[in-house]
Amino acid sequence: MPRTYHLWTIGCQMNAADTRGLAAQLESLGLTPTDRAEAADVLVMNTCVIRQQAEDKILRVLDNWRAFKQRRPELILTVMGCLVGRQAGPALRAQWPFVDVFLPPSDPAALLELLRPHDLDAAARQALRRVAPDADAAPALPPSAQGRTVTAQVPAVLGCSHAYAFCVIPYRRGPERSRPPQDILEEIRRLADQGVREVTLLGQIVDRYGLDLGDGADLAGLLADAAHIAGIWRIRFLTSHPQWVTDRLLDAVARIEKVQPYLEVPLQSGHDGVLAAMRRGYTVRQFRELVARIRQRLPDAGINSDIIVGFPGETEAQFMDTCRLLEELRLDFLHIAPYSPRPETYAARRLPDDVPADEKERRRLLLEDQHRRILTEKHQAYVGRTVRVLVEGRDEKRDRWWGRTPQYKLVYFPATEDLLGQLTDVEIEWAGPFTLVGAAVKPQPKHLTAKA
Ligand code: SAH
């Protein structure tokens, strides 16, 4: 009987949430975590294929694991997530014959079935489920993470049905489906009971939450319900597609104290022709209006975004339009990725990947430099200001705590007492492009949830 497990995760927040759920279930079956992959009885790799770079990294780790499997054939080697897609095809199985189990994203059932004690036959298990319907319910956090986990991600919308030209996710995570609100709220309640203080609701297009449920459910309503859960102090959600950010949603963020003034809305490009080629469904003008609308209703909001440089056909002039737009909008954080053709996508099938790799890299660095400069300037306004931070962890090496502001800015500050999971007011003394550094004003009592 396997006794230890090791999970390796790469990719998006949804993967982190899937890994957390799987760890909880493995521990409820009696397994304990180990940091040493080479010694684990169950090895799980939760994979990402959003860009070639992620895939290359997976292949390197998988190569090491192949050697572990050769040495210890009894170990259960599992590959989960977007590399597998909705179903492991024969090609995948032939490519990695040493992998024991392939799991689709968000669906660990096959591994759990394999690990479950089989002394009960199917009928007995069915009967057990009837008398104890929760027999299969694992804790929301793995016991090994309880007491030190302050924030957690909770899937709200699985999959995606909006095939943007570059994006592989719909092909790997399947069609968009919203989880029933009661399941989400129950998971949040359990997380709160286990000490989690902040939850982030997830979806590829989280602002479409509920549209497929057909009963009027939406993200604004879900946020309002989640805010009633005691023990949860902060709520976030991501990723929002620009097209579905309604005034009703923004008003909910403004009105509900626990919902943080923070949005992630990927722009991808600042040129209408490129946006149309990407099939994004909005124009530069609409995105600009969106940012204005957010700032009007939530003057203090943090707005993060994603950019792809070197999309097929992107000219220097089009790229410069992106730079100019971002100079104007002064967003709070950018994730900038060089375009990577992905199998099955429209762009990979129809559009030649005609911007050379070194040119993509040049554009990425240029935009990063610009953005670093904007953030350095913008963050000076924090110096001398006091912000409220939810303390998430400790940087042992430099003997300081870290946490985030409502706008998701990363803050470091020294303190001797244990502040993990506390809301703490920090006066900012130094501000860089990606971090703020300050000193604790005084620890706040736990019940205070007001925004900084
Ligand atoms: N659902 C989000 C995107 C999630 S993927 C949306 O609607 O925009 C996260 C980010 O990865 C994307 O915003 C994009 O910037 C990047 N990305 C996705 N596919 C990519 C590709 N083929 N090449 C480069 N970057 C990509």
Side-chain angles (χ1 to χ4, degrees):
M1 180 63 198
R3 286 140 72 122
T4 58
Y5 74 89
H6 177 86
L7 295 181
W8 184 86
T9 305
I10 182 170
C12 64
Q13 290 90 343
M14 193 66 91
N15 259 13
D18 288 349
T19 294
R20 190 252 301 157
L22 176 58
Q25 284 176 301
L26 292 177
E27 290 187 25
S28 76
L29 291 173
L31 278 78
T32 53
T34 171
D35 290 338
R36 296 175 53 232
E38 69 281 6
D41 300 323
V42 177
L43 269 176
V44 185
M45 167 182 292
N46 197 359
T47 59
C48 168
V49 294
I50 195 78
R51 288 184 285 137
Q52 188 60 43
Q53 207 186 20
E55 221 169 308
D56 294 344
K57 200 159 166 191
I58 291 165
L59 299 185
R60 284 197 295 274
V61 177
L62 206 52
D63 227 34
N64 288 339
W65 287 15
R66 183 207 307 254
F68 302 159
K69 177 76 184 175
Q70 273 160 357
R71 253 177 278 144
R72 296 171 43 233
E74 72 282 5
L75 99 79
I76 300 174
L77 210 166
T78 309
V79 174
M80 180 177 187
C82 285
L83 184 79
V84 178
R86 298 223 79 197
Q87 219 176 15
L92 201 59
R93 293 180 188 282
Q95 197 177 355
W96 294 303
F98 56 94
V99 172
D100 298 288
V101 188
F102 288 100
L103 302 175
S106 311
D107 183 7
L111 176 64
L112 300 173
E113 192 50 38
L114 185 76
L115 293 172
R116 217 162 254 149
H118 280 88
D119 43 349
L120 295 179
D121 64 19
R125 238 181 291 147
Q126 200 61 44
L128 183 67
R129 220 167 272 153
R130 263 198 305 278
V131 287
D134 272 350
D136 278 341
L141 278 185
S144 65
Q146 288 172 26
R148 57 189 179 87
T149 306
V150 178
T151 65
Q153 275 115 0
V154 178
V157 189
L158 303 175
C160 182
S161 299
H162 300 264
Y164 303 114
F166 53 82
C167 191
V168 72
I169 292 172
Y171 305 98
R172 301 302 171 95
R173 285 189 172 267
E176 177 179 271
R177 53 236 188 257
S178 298
R179 291 175 72 198
Q182 58 275 20
D183 288 10
I184 298 170
L185 296 169
E186 182 53 30
E187 187 170 337
I188 298 174
R189 261 181 230 115
R190 279 198 278 152
L191 288 165
D193 288 346
Q194 294 167 347
V196 167
R197 297 292 166 250
E198 173 180 309
V199 290
T200 301
L201 299 170
L202 299 181
Q204 296 303 333
I205 308 184
V206 74
D207 40 342
R208 281 183 54 83
Y209 175 77
L211 295 183
D212 57 321
L213 295 175
D215 58 1
D218 70 357
L219 184 58
L222 183 64
L223 291 169
D225 289 343
H228 286 121
I229 297 175
I232 294 296
W233 300 337
R234 287 183 167 185
I235 304 170
R236 304 181 191 273
F237 55 90
L238 57 86
T239 306
S240 298
H241 185 285
Q243 219 174 339
W244 285 282
V245 181
T246 58
D247 287 346
R248 179 175 144 82
L249 176 60
L250 294 178
D251 289 341
V253 179
R255 197 183 60 245
I256 307 168
E257 191 98 42
K258 290 184 183 179
V259 179
Q260 303 301 294
Y262 170 71
L263 281 108
E264 283 199 15
V265 274
L267 166 65
Q268 311 299 9
S269 165
H271 186 273
D272 281 340
V274 179
L275 286 175
M278 288 175 164
R279 305 181 157 184
R280 287 295 286 177
Y282 53 84
T283 60
V284 167
R285 182 161 149 213
Q286 285 167 325
F287 191 86
R288 206 184 253 128
E289 283 166 3
L290 170 68
V291 171
R293 203 149 53 83
I294 295 172
R295 287 182 172 154
Q296 191 224 330
R297 283 182 162 73
L298 306 161
D300 209 18
I303 306 176
N304 288 14
S305 196
D306 297 345
I307 299 291
I308 294 177
V309 294
F311 186 77
E314 186 190 65
T315 64
E316 177 69 12
Q318 290 172 331
F319 167 69
M320 290 312 292
D321 278 353
T322 301
C323 294
R324 260 191 297 275
L325 180 64
L326 291 167
E327 185 79 55
E328 171 196 325
L329 295 178
R330 295 168 75 80
L331 302 179
D332 291 275
F333 186 80
L334 288 183
H335 180 264
I336 306 164
Y339 169 70
S340 168
R342 302 283 67 209
E344 297 176 271
T345 60
Y346 177 83
R349 285 185 285 118
R350 297 294 181 78
L351 308 174
D353 180 18
D354 55 3
V355 180
D358 53 353
E359 176 58 19
K360 285 178 190 164
E361 185 60 9
R362 190 189 67 84
R363 291 180 192 179
R364 190 182 69 80
L365 290 174
L366 212 78
L367 203 47
E368 295 233 312
D369 279 353
Q370 168 182 312
H371 189 58
R372 191 174 295 116
R373 172 177 52 73
I374 291 171
L375 285 184
T376 307
E377 288 165 14
K378 190 168 167 169
H379 288 171
Q380 295 320 305
Y382 277 101
V383 176
R385 248 179 76 187
T386 296
V387 294
R388 183 153 295 173
V389 169
L390 176 61
V391 182
E392 288 184 50
R394 194 168 167 78
D395 170 8
E396 290 296 348
K397 249 189 268 158
R398 304 187 57 181
D399 207 23
R400 53 190 191 168
W401 293 96
W402 65 269
R404 297 201 181 256
T405 70
Q407 294 77 14
Y408 207 64
K409 304 282 181 189
L410 183 58
V411 176
Y412 288 98
F413 65 98
T416 43
E417 65 270 52
D418 183 359
L419 293 174
L420 187 70
Q422 305 281 337
L423 287 166
T424 304
D425 283 345
V426 178
E427 189 181 332
I428 301 305
E429 295 162 344
W430 180 89
F434 306 114
T435 54
L436 309 175
V437 180
V441 174
K442 66 176 168 22
Q444 292 297 310
K446 279 190 181 183
H447 61 273
L448 288 183
T449 58
K451 296 174 197 187

